[in-house]
Amino acid sequence: MRLSKLFLVSAVLLSSAGAGIAQRMPTPEEAHCMALRGLLISPDKIGEPARRAVVYSADLIKGDQAAGGGFCKVLGGVEPVDAKAPNINFEINLPLTWNSKIIQYGGGGYDGELIEAVDNVSFGAASVKTPLQRGYVTFGSDSGHQSPSVLDGRFLLNDEALANFGGLQIKKTHDVTMVVVESYYGRKPQKTYIQGNSQGGHESLIAIQRWPADYDGAIVTHPANPFSALQLAGNHLAKAFYRKGGYLNPAKVKLLNDAVTKACDKLDGVEDGLISDTAACDASFKIDALRCASGKDEGDTCLSDTQIDVLKTINTPYKSPVTLANGVDGFARWPIFQGGDLYGLWGFGLSPELTDPPTPIANFGLAVLADPLIRYAIVRDPKFNTMNFDPAKYAKRIEEVSKLMDANSPDLSAFEKRGGKMLLMHGTIDFAISPYNTVAYYERVVKTMGKENVHSFLRFYLVPGFGHGSGKFIAAWDPLTALENWVEEGKAPENLVVGDAGKDGGGRTRPMCEYPSYPRYKQGAADPNKAENFECAK
C-alpha cells in the first residue's frame, strides 16, 4: 500500500514517548492494515446517494478467528446527505489469507446494532468453519442508525434513515466494501455472497432483487418480507387478540400445543416431538375439541369461544385494505395449529394487559414487532396508540413505505441469468414470521418463472420444529459450502442434512427436504435420531 502512508503509520507508533506506549516499528502486516485509516471514499464510488464514506480505524487482530492467523478489522461510516440523518456504521474484516471472496451479513429486527460479521452464517453448524476462517472478507453494518434495541423504531422519523433501513444501506455498504477490499488487496473479489436471517433474510432478498449484478449467491433464512405486510398483519391480529379478550396464558398455550402434538406428531411415521407432515396435521387437528362446555372461560383445561375464534383468525390469511408493492394484498396465515412456537419474545405474552407501546415478553410478540413501523414510519407520531390504527386512512403512506422497503418481486430472472443461486430456509413453527408467507413468496416465484427454471437456481427447505431461532429443533447446517459448490462448481445441492443444536436435541439429524416434501420416518428403520432413516415424502 501507499509508501507515504506506511511511513506515517510508523511515525505514529514511534512518537508515543511519554504516553506509556512501547516504542516499536509496526510489523509489515500491521502497517498494511493501519494504512487504511482515514481512507476517504467519494460519493461517485457509492451507488446510492451519500456524502462520502470514511474509514475511522483499521487494526490487525491476531488469532484463529480468520484464515492466515488474523484479520484487519476496519471500522468506518457512510455519511448521509441529510446532516440530520445518522451515519451508516460498517465493519469490514480482511483476513490475512484471502480466498478472493466476500460475504455480506444482514441484521435483525429494526437493526440499529453494528453487525460485526465475525461469527458463522445464520444457523451454521458449530463444527463448520466461519466464513472469516475460510478466508472470506466479511462485512456488515448497523443499517444506518444506532439504537438501544432492535425493536426501537424512532429512527424511522428521518426520511434518509428510513430509506437506508429500507434497503439503500445494503448497496452503500457493499460498494464501500468493494473499494476497501481493492485498496487492501490490490484486486477485486471474484465472488460475492450475502446471507442473513429474519431482517437479514429480508435484506438478502432486497439485495438480489434490486442489485442482482452485485451478488453471486444468497443464503436466505426466515425472511421478514414483505416487511410492511408482516407488520400490518401483526397489528390486525393484535387488535383481535386484545379487543376480543382472546388472550391465552402460558397454561392454555401448553394445552393447545400438547393437543396439536398428540394429534399430529405421529403423522410423519415417528413420535419425536416434531410435526413434519403439516398438511396432514391441518386435516387431523380439531380446535373445537378444546372448547369449554359452556363456551365461556372455565380455566386452564379448555378454551372459550372467544379464544377459539381468535385462534381461528390467526390461522386465516390477512387481507390488506391497501395493495402493497408488486401487487401483494396481504399476509399468510400462521402455524397456530401446527405447534407454533408461542414462547418467549414471539409468544402470546405473560400479561393479558396491553401496554402502550407493547412490551416485549409481557405482550403478544406480533404486537411488539408491528408497533414501531406503524407508529414511526407510517403514522409518524411517537404518541400514537397503534391499537387505533386504521390502514385504510393511511393508504397512500403505506404504499410509499412498502415501495421503500419490501422485496416482493417474484421475477428473479436478472439474478438467475447472471448465474446467481439462492438457498431459502424457514422453520415450520416460526411465530415471528410465518413460514406460510415464505411458501407464498416461493410459489409466486414459481408461477412467474416456471418450476423447472426456478429449480435451476433456487432451493427452498422447510425445517420441522424450527422456530425463529428457537423451538423443538434448532437448525444447524452448512449452507455456505452447499452454495459455494453450486455457484463455483455447478454442483446442485443434494442430500443435505440439518442437525438439532438444541440443548435437548442430542445431536439428532434430519434430511433437508425440498418444499413441498417433508422428512418421513422409514418404517422398520433403526435410530430415529439419524437423517439416514428418513425419506423426503410429498
Side-chain angles (χ1 to χ4, degrees):
M1 189 171 292
R2 299 168 297 279
L3 193 58
S4 59
K5 270 228 165 187
L6 294 179
F7 283 130
L8 177 61
V9 169
S10 300
V12 168
L13 286 174
L14 289 170
S15 65
S16 56
I21 302 174
Q23 299 179 36
R24 64 175 180 85
M25 287 289 292
T27 67
E29 291 172 341
E30 288 174 328
H32 188 57
C33 174
M34 295 168 68
L36 289 171
R37 294 177 181 180
L39 177 66
L40 299 179
I41 300 172
S42 60
D44 62 292
K45 301 290 186 181
I46 305 171
E48 295 292 342
R51 195 168 80 86
R52 65 176 185 178
V54 183
V55 171
Y56 304 145
S57 65
D59 296 286
L60 188 66
I61 309 298
K62 298 291 285 186
D64 60 4
Q65 276 185 294
F71 65 99
C72 180
K73 176 181 177 180
V74 177
L75 298 176
V78 182
E79 297 177 355
V81 175
D82 175 9
K84 295 181 180 179
N87 285 0
I88 301 169
N89 292 326
F90 60 81
E91 178 168 336
I92 304 169
N93 304 308
L94 306 159
L96 293 180
T97 300
W98 185 37
N99 65 6
S100 298
K101 296 182 280 190
I102 67 175
I103 184 166
Q104 186 167 8
Y105 282 50
Y110 284 83
D111 290 331
E113 296 180 354
L114 179 62
I115 301 301
E116 297 177 346
V118 295
D119 295 328
N120 217 329
V121 298
S122 299
F123 307 105
S127 59
V128 175
K129 286 184 177 182
T130 68
L132 197 54
Q133 290 171 330
R134 299 181 191 213
Y136 278 85
V137 167
T138 64
F139 62 105
S141 80
D142 60 12
S143 96
H145 61 280
Q146 300 75 47
S147 300
S149 162
V150 295
L151 295 173
D152 187 333
R154 287 174 291 180
F155 72 94
L156 296 167
L157 293 170
N158 180 276
D159 287 342
E160 188 167 351
L162 169 59
N164 281 332
F165 173 71
L168 297 188
Q169 61 90 11
I170 302 166
K171 176 62 172 173
K172 295 176 186 180
T173 306
H174 166 275
D175 289 358
V176 167
T177 298
M178 294 291 283
V179 174
V180 171
V181 165
E182 188 168 6
S183 180
Y184 185 74
Y185 294 111
R187 65 186 193 277
K188 296 179 180 179
Q190 294 179 1
K191 297 294 179 185
T192 300
Y193 298 107
I194 186 168
Q195 74 86 31
N197 72 94
S198 194
Q199 182 60 250
H202 172 217
E203 290 163 355
S204 298
L205 287 178
I206 290 173
I208 65 171
Q209 288 180 30
R210 297 189 196 174
W211 305 286
D214 287 347
Y215 298 93
D216 298 286
I219 303 168
V220 182
T221 305
H222 46 236
N225 180 68
F227 197 70
S228 63
L230 169 64
Q231 311 317 340
L232 292 177
N235 178 259
H236 165 75
L237 295 179
K239 286 183 286 193
F241 192 71
Y242 287 103
R243 286 180 178 171
K244 294 183 178 180
Y247 174 76
L248 272 68
N249 64 27
K252 285 182 180 279
V253 169
K254 185 176 186 303
L255 172 74
L256 170 64
N257 276 346
D258 284 352
V260 171
T261 300
K262 183 177 180 181
C264 301
D265 188 1
K266 59 183 177 291
L267 299 176
D268 55 15
V270 63
E271 294 188 50
D272 55 2
L274 306 178
I275 297 168
S276 300
D277 191 349
T278 54
C281 187
D282 272 342
S284 298
F285 176 71
K286 307 298 180 184
I287 184 60
D288 291 331
L290 297 179
R291 181 180 182 272
C292 298
S294 67
K296 299 179 180 180
D297 194 337
E298 299 175 7
D300 295 341
T301 60
C302 59
L303 302 177
S304 70
D305 286 343
T306 299
Q307 289 166 339
I308 289 174
D309 181 59
V310 169
L311 293 178
K312 288 181 177 179
T313 299
I314 295 172
N315 192 50
T316 303
Y318 165 69
K319 178 68 174 177
S320 172
V322 181
T323 301
L324 307 175
N326 294 94
V328 170
D329 61 359
F331 198 80
R333 66 183 177 123
W334 295 78
I336 189 68
F337 299 147
Q338 288 91 39
D341 187 19
L342 298 169
Y343 308 96
L345 182 60
W346 307 118
F348 284 163
L350 301 178
S351 171
E353 302 299 325
L354 179 65
T355 60
D356 179 27
T359 303
I361 304 297
N363 293 146
F364 186 20
L366 295 180
V368 174
L369 189 61
D371 184 88
L373 187 78
I374 294 169
R375 185 183 298 264
Y376 296 108
I378 296 174
V379 179
R380 310 204 99 172
D381 179 359
K383 296 181 179 180
F384 182 76
N385 187 327
T386 53
M387 288 299 101
N388 299 324
F389 178 64
D390 180 357
K393 293 182 179 180
Y394 296 90
K396 183 178 179 181
R397 180 58 181 169
I398 290 171
E399 291 170 356
E400 292 171 348
V401 170
S402 176
K403 186 177 180 180
L404 276 173
M405 65 176 51
D406 291 338
N408 297 339
S409 176
D411 184 0
L412 304 178
S413 57
F415 178 67
E416 178 265 328
K417 287 177 181 177
R418 60 107 54 210
K421 310 294 184 187
M422 176 166 67
L423 300 181
L424 177 62
M425 188 264 273
H426 211 128
T428 61
I429 65 171
D430 191 336
F431 231 83
I433 304 155
S434 174
Y436 292 110
N437 179 66
T438 300
V439 167
Y441 175 70
Y442 173 78
E443 291 181 341
R444 286 178 61 222
V445 173
V446 169
K447 183 178 180 180
T448 300
M449 300 185 64
K451 184 176 181 179
E452 185 175 341
N453 190 27
V454 169
H455 198 253
S456 72
F457 75 95
L458 192 161
R459 293 289 189 275
F460 174 33
Y461 307 98
L462 286 176
V463 178
F466 184 39
H468 205 72
S470 54
K472 295 184 175 182
F473 188 102
I474 312 300
W477 61 316
D478 184 11
L480 184 54
T481 295
L483 187 63
E484 287 174 327
N485 289 341
W486 201 4
V487 171
E488 299 165 26
E489 300 179 22
K491 297 179 181 177
E494 292 184 0
N495 303 318
L496 299 185
V497 172
V498 60
D500 184 358
K503 63 180 182 179
D504 299 321
R508 62 180 172 174
T509 57
R510 293 289 183 273
M512 292 288 283
C513 294
E514 290 183 50
Y515 174 82
S517 62
Y518 68 92
R520 180 174 179 81
Y521 181 65
K522 299 176 183 176
Q523 293 303 312
D527 190 351
N529 289 319
K530 294 184 177 180
E532 63 197 53
N533 294 319
F534 289 78
E535 60 186 352
C536 290
K538 293 185 178 180

